[in-house]
Amino acid sequence: MMRSGCRMSLVMWIRVWVMVAAVVDVLGGGCLIAAGMEVGCGVRFKDEVASFKVAIFADLHYGENAWDEWGPRQDVNSTAVQSFLLDHERPDFVVYLGDLITANNLPCHDAVLHWFQAVGPAVDRKIPFASVFGNHDDASFEWDPHSGVGPDEPLQTTSRTELMDFDMSLPSSYSSSGPKTLLPSVSNFFVPIASSDGTRIVAIMYFLDSGGGSMAEFISADQIAWFTTTASKFNSDASIPELVFWHIPSIAYTRSGPKPNQPIEAPCVGSINDESIAPQETEWGIMNVLTNRSSVKVLGTNSIFWSISCCCSYLFGSIFFCRCSCIQL
Ligand SMILES: *[C@@H]1O[C@H](CO)[C@@H](O)[C@H](O)[C@H]1NC(C)=O
Ligand SMILES: *[C@@H]1O[C@H](CO)[C@@H](O)[C@H](O)[C@H]1NC(C)=O
């Protein structure tokens, strides 16, 4: 099974390049400079529509148990759920919020195949999207007797950089590998959202790599400095709303988040309180920076397994805290 998985890559790449040719126009249009950034050439509000809808998919875990029937069937089901939600909600942007794949179940150097399956529903619909890394996306293979590979065979994990290069090659991807100075963390970037006429930035989405897998689980002081510098440069008077996304909740969430089985109050809905929170290993102050910034309106982190969750504003003052759902600006 694994061997045939490795051989499939050529077919998948051809499909990717055919799509690149087909979708170039979608992202076209003139660019203007607003708040020191090029806008209007990328993501923007639709004409005559007062809202901008962001769909968040976290913990999709494509490629999990790739060697048995259950794993691939789960992936088929995940694609069906994504397709249903995207067709019904018609979001303007999709955030793939980490753990797109279960790399610890993938012994071949071909995780991009599963990555491509994960983001496929957005790519197929030409919906702009961005991806951030979770702790499983470049995790080392954990040998399993059913995996089809011998315990001593050489294994090749696909690195964060390789996955991101692949993601960035997809036609509607707005992902970026971020500043090299922040390596080994990779998915640190921002995406401005412009007004429908493309003349103003009306919101900025920030994406941070909360680590895990090949690296420690935390948002470093360097990442915080990058966020602070970038945010003050492009939004010095904090007049533009900011949405921040990363995969692993900070330790701060375990103190203020809802405990398992505690009731949640309106307007919160969903299953945000179903399970306890598994936070980052250490906290270097990103929460202090965000809570201190009045322009940060939404913070999205990873989901809880098996649940469709919700947004709640009661965790951190005025910040709207989201896990795995749809948000509307
Ligand atoms: C996939 O979805 C079908 C139909 O809802 C369900 O019966 C099945 O259990 C699901 N498979 C897995 C592996 O979750
Ligand atoms: C919070 O804001 C105050 C006033 O703007 C500033 O002095 C302080 O350094 C900020 N704290 C953090 C953690 O950014």
Side-chain angles (χ1 to χ4, degrees):
M1 279 306 284
M2 279 303 136
R3 298 293 163 223
S4 68
C6 294
R7 278 200 304 269
M8 269 169 64
S9 58
L10 185 60
V11 178
M12 302 297 278
W13 276 100
I14 289 169
R15 189 173 163 210
V16 170
W17 288 112
V18 168
M19 286 191 309
V20 170
V23 195
V24 156
D25 268 350
V26 175
L27 307 176
C31 303
L32 293 159
I33 305 289
M37 270 189 280
E38 274 192 349
V39 293
C41 44
V43 184
R44 57 162 99 172
F45 273 64
K46 291 192 187 87
D47 286 335
E48 317 291 333
V49 179
S51 69
F52 186 93
K53 198 183 272 190
V54 181
I56 306 171
F57 293 117
D59 289 284
L60 292 168
H61 284 274
Y62 279 73
E64 184 143 325
N65 280 40
W67 49 78
D68 64 19
E69 277 185 28
W70 173 86
R73 281 216 320 265
Q74 287 268 110
D75 293 348
V76 168
N77 284 9
S78 297
T79 297
V81 169
Q82 280 201 67
S83 303
F84 174 84
L85 287 171
L86 295 180
D87 290 339
H88 277 74
E89 296 290 340
R90 301 192 158 276
D92 299 290
F93 198 86
V94 180
V95 175
Y96 285 100
L97 198 49
D99 285 359
L100 282 71
I101 56 175
T102 303
N104 41 302
N105 286 175
L106 304 174
C108 299
H109 185 247
D110 65 354
V112 293
L113 296 180
H114 300 280
W115 193 273
F116 186 63
Q117 285 182 303
V119 300
V123 174
D124 288 346
R125 288 164 181 76
K126 303 172 186 172
I127 304 174
F129 72 93
S131 311
V132 285
F133 290 115
N135 46 310
H136 284 92
D137 292 309
D138 74 346
S140 314
F141 180 66
E142 289 163 18
W143 188 74
D144 183 290
H146 307 292
S147 61
V149 297
D152 303 324
E153 282 187 47
L155 306 167
Q156 297 175 54
T157 302
T158 310
S159 72
R160 268 176 157 73
T161 306
E162 288 166 327
L163 288 168
M164 188 50 95
D165 285 348
F166 173 75
D167 188 298
M168 288 163 63
S169 76
L170 298 172
S172 55
S173 170
Y174 277 76
S175 307
S176 169
S177 48
K180 289 211 165 35
T181 49
L182 299 180
L183 287 170
S185 76
V186 170
S187 53
N188 303 290
F189 58 96
F190 63 91
V191 176
I193 303 172
S195 55
S196 60
D197 62 1
T199 58
R200 283 181 307 124
I201 299 174
V202 290
I204 306 176
M205 294 181 282
Y206 281 91
F207 301 90
L208 290 167
D209 188 339
S210 55
S214 66
M215 54 178 293
E217 292 182 3
F218 72 115
I219 291 174
S220 70
D222 286 346
Q223 286 171 284
I224 297 170
W226 170 80
F227 171 80
T228 308
T229 309
T230 310
S232 18
K233 181 172 167 200
F234 295 122
N235 195 12
S236 53
D237 60 358
S239 60
I240 305 171
E242 292 157 333
L243 298 79
V244 183
F245 299 96
W246 69 70
H247 180 73
I248 312 173
S250 341
I251 292 169
Y253 294 11
T254 56
R255 290 196 292 272
S256 40
K259 302 285 179 286
N261 305 317
Q262 274 186 358
I264 50 174
E265 287 160 25
C268 304
V269 290
S271 48
I272 199 165
N273 58 343
D274 266 6
E275 288 177 24
S276 53
I277 289 164
Q280 294 168 28
E281 288 163 356
T282 175
E283 161 80 59
W284 285 66
I286 185 72
M287 292 311 300
N288 295 343
V289 170
L290 298 191
T291 45
N292 215 16
R293 244 186 111 67
S294 61
S295 45
V296 175
K297 303 298 182 198
V298 171
L299 174 60
T301 67
N302 82 333
S303 70
I304 310 168
F305 272 118
W306 321 123
S307 61
I308 301 240
S309 209
C310 68
C311 291
C312 280
S313 55
Y314 64 91
L315 289 185
F316 294 104
S318 60
I319 300 180
F320 205 56
F321 172 84
C322 291
R323 302 181 90 174
C324 198
S325 184
C326 269
I327 54 180
Q328 205 149 345
L329 300 185

